Amino acid sequence: SRAALIKGQLDVMPVLTGPDINALKQHDNVVLYRSPSLVTNALLIQSNDPLLSDVRVRRALAYSLDTRIIASLSTGGTGAANSSMVPTASPWYSAAQTQGYPTNPQLARQLLTEAGYHGQPIVLLTNRRYPDMYAQALMVQSMARKVGINIKLQILEWATQLDRYENGNYQLMSFSYSARADPYLSYSLILGDRKKDKRKVWNDAAAINLLERAGQTSNVVERQQLFDQLHAMMIRDVPLIVLYNPADVNAVNRALTGFLSWPMGHARL
């Protein structure tokens, strides 16, 4: 596809990966259009796992990561680091949503010591179909190793990984949630009764109640407060680690005008 676009045989190449972006930005006859997207890349955590059930281990993992580096290298420099299920491009992204886990290796090691973690292996599932998921998994493994967390990568076919996601059969998983237009829908992806839906990673009763309230009101101020509370609770519980929001990047033949990227991440023609 890249070669065909460069030769002028294609007009639009949507949904570019990091390698695509790096390769195509060198060509004068190709224009890259991008906008922040509502896609969310994250590290899923199976907190029912005996090792990861200790919130101190989950927090240590979060504090070991530099999400700015992960975002940049996974997306060809186009992604935005973010710790919230509310994407940075969302009108609901408030100052409260910017709170996360500053990189702090010393605190990470302290938490691991308190939890009695001694280098037991933790398996991180990923795939090569989606380069961003693979790249972020490699960086998570490398950064976590520096504080003493022993992560082993297991590379699966995407269909197999998706089945493991559906059944909650993993310790850690490199993942990406497709764009959702409202934070209620974004939080619904992760929050709920895990006995009924094994895709959920967070089943805190108080948080579920807040989400239900956010779905029952149209009051803007009230909804913002509810989303902000949900974010604070998520950061406390670490049911997953949100890493970044990739941009919607499209490569377009310079002769074609009027193309626009948009946050939902689908080319509109």
Side-chain angles (χ1 to χ4, degrees):
S1 295
R2 290 201 305 240
L5 183 73
I6 292 166
K7 293 177 181 178
Q9 296 168 341
L10 292 178
D11 290 313
V12 179
M13 182 177 172
V15 195
L16 299 190
T17 65
D20 290 331
I21 294 166
N22 290 327
L24 290 169
K25 65 185 179 183
Q26 308 171 35
H27 295 275
D28 292 338
N29 63 326
V30 174
V31 180
L32 297 182
Y33 289 87
R34 69 182 186 185
S35 71
S37 83
L38 301 177
V39 174
T40 297
N41 281 51
L43 181 67
L44 307 190
I45 303 174
Q46 180 49 266
S47 56
N48 287 335
D49 178 81
L51 196 57
L52 296 170
S53 63
D54 193 322
V55 71
R56 294 171 296 187
V57 176
R58 304 198 300 270
R59 286 176 184 156
L61 178 56
Y63 284 119
S64 76
L65 305 179
D66 188 330
T67 55
R68 293 171 300 175
I69 292 174
I70 294 173
S72 179
L73 295 183
S74 297
T75 67
T78 63
N82 182 19
S83 297
S84 174
M85 282 302 292
V86 180
T88 58
S90 170
W92 300 95
Y93 188 74
S94 65
Q97 304 291 331
T98 65
Q99 302 305 305
Y101 313 98
T103 309
N104 192 332
Q106 183 177 354
L107 178 55
R109 294 188 189 98
Q110 177 185 327
L111 289 166
L112 293 172
T113 299
E114 292 174 2
Y117 175 79
H118 301 295
Q120 300 96 313
I122 301 172
V123 177
L124 168 56
L125 303 186
T126 189
N127 66 87
R128 281 199 167 95
R129 175 174 175 177
Y130 296 103
D132 54 343
M133 292 190 209
Y134 182 64
Q136 69 194 30
L138 290 175
M139 284 181 274
V140 165
Q141 180 190 42
S142 176
M143 292 174 181
R145 182 185 294 128
K146 293 178 181 178
V147 302
I149 302 175
N150 179 18
I151 291 180
K152 306 291 186 183
L153 290 190
Q154 184 176 357
I155 303 168
L156 303 174
E157 293 293 326
W158 172 240
T160 303
Q161 181 178 335
L162 197 58
D163 181 69
R164 298 279 291 270
Y165 163 72
E166 295 278 350
N167 291 287
N169 183 16
Y170 58 88
Q171 287 182 293
L172 299 175
M173 181 177 287
S174 180
F175 203 70
S176 180
Y177 291 109
S178 56
R180 297 294 190 277
D182 187 86
Y184 174 83
L185 301 174
S186 298
Y187 280 111
S188 294
L189 293 169
I190 67 168
L191 180 58
D193 187 340
R194 300 178 70 186
K195 292 180 180 178
K196 295 180 179 178
D197 188 345
K198 297 185 184 302
R199 295 173 299 177
K200 309 298 186 185
V201 294
W202 192 25
N203 61 348
D204 182 89
I208 291 172
N209 178 260
L210 290 180
L211 183 61
E212 289 176 351
R213 288 169 55 192
Q216 293 167 353
T217 179
S218 59
N219 183 285
V220 173
V221 174
E222 183 181 357
R223 293 189 94 227
Q224 185 69 69
Q225 292 173 344
L226 292 167
F227 294 141
D228 290 350
Q229 290 178 61
L230 280 168
H231 176 66
M233 295 170 72
M234 189 190 79
I235 293 299
R236 178 199 68 195
D237 291 353
V238 205
L240 81 169
I241 302 170
V242 178
L243 301 171
Y244 60 89
N245 302 119
D248 175 42
V249 186
N250 302 269
V252 178
N253 186 309
R254 186 174 293 278
L256 181 69
T257 60
F259 186 93
L260 293 174
S261 295
W262 73 315
M264 294 304 292
H266 296 280
R268 296 175 296 173
L269 302 173

